[in-house]
Amino acid sequence: MGNHRADRRGSEGTASESTPVAGARAAGRRKATRRQANPFRKIPAVPTIVGAVAIIAAAGGAVGMGGGQLDGSQSLQLSAGAADAFNGTDAFNFTGEDPRAQAISRDADRLQQAQQAAADLKASVNQQSEQRNAELASLAKSAQNRADEIAKNLWVLPTVGYHLTARFGQSSGLWSHNHTGLDFAAPTGTPIFAIANGVITFTGWDGSYGYKTVETLPDGTEIWYAHQSAIEVSVGQKVIQSAEIGKIGSTGNVTGPHVHIEVRPGGGDPVDPYPAFVYHGVTP
Ligand SMILES: [Zn+2]
């Protein structure tokens, strides 16, 4: 490359004035000068390849002749710009394939490839997007179902304005065995609410429980409401959550008005109501 620069420097300022360049020296200064004076009209004969390359080099301004050897492929490759100069002239019919057409063709190929790649990418993205949307829709439906299920299973507290007076499992001289429920103490006449949707499966007097209502939930769990002063539902009645089913009292074995709540999964032995309430979304 150092030689290239040296040669170009040597012919600097002469190319545009049609003065012979390095290439012309190889062919003979006089001959080249004549050609350069008017290469198109005075030399109608087929120019020698050296002369043509010299002309091309003059127009293109770049050809390596430092080693005295003409690199034909290199110089022809560099002649794309020079070819333009001869188009349309009667002296030099440039018959080779138009480099511009080749370049345009290559550009068109690249453009087509890029467009195809973009189309492929878009199709891939669309496919992934559709798949993702389907997954999201499925997930949303699943979440909604779960939310519905949870909402359906949420409980509410059985009364208002209460305080807890006895917990599950406590022992007292009042009971022959440990306490089997959770006591919500409030004045007599305070409403008792259904803690969840269900159906009434028992109402009436039950010994130490006093007046009692049993509600069976859809999963089979029985909720016992005891010591009532009033019962306001009947067996077989469907009740919705928060519906008033009776009033707090002090019937049965009690020391004061409250509603005794028992939770009996599957109608079996009682479990601690407190964590059952918490599990169903409400803390007594
Ligand atoms: Zn109790």
Side-chain angles (χ1 to χ4, degrees):
M1 288 307 286
N3 278 342
H4 288 207
R5 281 197 294 273
D7 292 342
R8 290 179 64 181
R9 193 158 53 245
S11 62
E12 209 166 55
T14 61
S16 61
E17 295 159 13
S18 298
T19 304
V21 293
R25 286 198 297 273
R29 177 169 296 276
R30 201 162 59 87
K31 200 174 171 186
T33 302
R34 244 186 327 124
R35 284 177 188 160
Q36 289 292 335
N38 195 337
F40 306 126
R41 298 189 187 282
K42 288 187 178 177
I43 318 287
V46 177
T48 65
I49 184 63
V50 173
V53 169
I55 292 163
I56 290 164
V63 64
M65 295 296 288
Q69 281 291 104
L70 177 62
D71 184 348
S73 64
Q74 191 181 21
S75 60
L76 287 172
Q77 193 177 358
L78 290 167
S79 68
D84 292 342
F86 298 105
N87 280 347
T89 70
D90 56 358
F92 197 97
N93 189 14
F94 206 83
T95 56
E97 243 187 290
D98 187 352
R100 287 180 306 174
Q102 292 176 356
I104 290 168
S105 176
R106 283 195 300 273
D107 288 345
D109 286 347
R110 280 195 289 268
L111 179 61
Q112 193 175 7
Q113 287 168 7
Q115 285 172 337
Q116 186 58 48
D120 290 348
L121 181 63
K122 189 179 177 186
S124 173
V125 167
N126 284 343
Q127 187 181 0
Q128 289 179 23
S129 180
E130 285 171 14
Q131 191 177 346
R132 188 70 53 84
N133 285 343
E135 287 171 0
L136 285 174
S138 173
L139 188 64
K141 183 167 172 50
S142 173
Q144 185 60 52
N145 289 344
R146 181 76 185 125
D148 291 347
E149 194 65 23
I150 289 170
K152 199 168 67 183
N153 289 325
L154 288 182
W155 290 1
V156 297
L157 296 174
T159 191
V160 292
Y162 66 92
H163 63 278
L164 300 178
T165 53
R167 304 240 178 189
F168 182 84
Q170 284 182 348
S171 60
S172 161
L174 194 62
W175 311 306
S176 58
H177 46 74
N178 289 347
H179 192 222
T180 52
L182 184 63
D183 290 352
F184 295 75
T188 295
T190 303
I192 299 170
F193 306 113
I195 65 165
N197 295 344
V199 60
I200 303 303
T201 50
F202 175 88
T203 60
W205 184 262
D206 186 17
S208 60
Y209 287 101
Y211 286 109
K212 183 182 85 174
T213 298
V214 176
E215 176 192 14
T216 301
L217 307 186
D219 67 357
T221 300
E222 288 184 357
I223 307 297
W224 289 16
Y225 308 83
H227 311 305
Q228 297 175 239
S229 62
I231 292 173
E232 299 171 349
V233 290
S234 54
V235 171
Q237 182 177 341
K238 288 182 179 176
V239 294
I240 60 170
Q241 185 177 67
S242 299
E244 183 177 323
I245 60 169
K247 295 195 185 304
I248 283 178
S250 53
T251 58
N253 194 2
V254 298
T255 57
H258 69 277
V259 60
H260 167 103
I261 298 293
E262 286 192 14
V263 176
R264 294 175 174 257
D269 291 336
V271 299
D272 188 348
Y274 192 94
F277 275 106
V278 172
Y279 178 81
H280 290 96
V282 63
T283 301

